[in-house]
Amino acid sequence: MRAFLLLLVVLALGALPAQAQQAISWDTLAQVELQRQDGRYVPNFAPEVDGLNGEEVAIQGFIFPIQQTLEQTHFILIAFPLADCFYCLPGASESMIEVKTSQPVDFTYDPITITGTLEVLESDPMGMYYRLTDARQGS
């Protein structure tokens, strides 16, 4: 009987998903410093941030639209709400994430949670440090 119960526990644990999403904070993403390399500045990410590359994560933020539509599939998620300047980004690169969704997300001024696969970008031509792909609204 004990062996049977042990077998059930082992099987149940094996049925858990191999890669579960984790909630991250903007403070975690802020663990980056610029270093001069070959005549230009490049981001140097903390090991904790590098370890998130390719992981499914969830983060809460605000939509900074790229498209002029009510439904967004490509936008910037920002750490702070938009203030009075709708064409000014409200922070540095560590407080923004480029988001690409498969399903449209309704634009809102309220905070939202976005879940997707995090890419840590070391040399993005637009100066972005982070990108979420296969993203969706919710945790």
Side-chain angles (χ1 to χ4, degrees), residues 106-123:
D106 290 335
F107 176 78
T108 179
Y109 291 105
D110 297 327
I112 64 168
T113 299
I114 296 291
T115 300
T117 303
L118 182 69
E119 295 178 23
V120 178
L121 309 172
E122 294 186 14
S123 61

Side-chain angles (χ1 to χ4, degrees), residues 80 89-93 95-96:
F80 307 104
L89 290 175
S93 294
S95 64
M96 298 181 268

Side-chain angles (χ1 to χ4, degrees), residues 71-102:
E71 293 184 328
Q72 301 288 310
T73 56
H74 186 203
F75 58 93
I76 307 296
L77 189 71
I78 54 178
F80 307 104
L82 293 172
D84 296 330
C85 179
F86 290 101
Y87 55 88
C88 301
L89 290 175
S93 294
E94 66 271 9
S95 64
M96 298 181 268
I97 302 173
E98 180 184 10
V99 177
K100 295 181 178 184
T101 67
S102 53

Side-chain angles (χ1 to χ4, degrees), residues 25-114:
S25 72
W26 291 101
D27 289 338
T28 298
L29 297 181
Q31 297 178 48
V32 59
E33 295 179 0
L34 287 177
Q35 290 185 332
R36 190 166 173 81
Q37 183 180 62
D38 298 327
R40 62 188 186 103
Y41 288 95
V42 296
N44 180 29
F45 299 99
E48 180 181 0
V49 176
D50 271 335
L52 294 171
N53 191 34
E55 296 292 320
E56 184 173 276
V57 300
I59 189 163
Q60 187 177 44
F62 299 87
I63 295 176
F64 185 90
I66 295 174
Q67 306 159 333
Q68 293 184 1
T69 63
L70 291 177
E71 293 184 328
Q72 301 288 310
T73 56
H74 186 203
F75 58 93
I76 307 296
L77 189 71
I78 54 178
F80 307 104
L82 293 172
D84 296 330
C85 179
F86 290 101
Y87 55 88
C88 301
L89 290 175
S93 294
E94 66 271 9
S95 64
M96 298 181 268
I97 302 173
E98 180 184 10
V99 177
K100 295 181 178 184
T101 67
S102 53
Q103 298 294 318
V105 173
D106 290 335
F107 176 78
T108 179
Y109 291 105
D110 297 327
I112 64 168
T113 299
I114 296 291

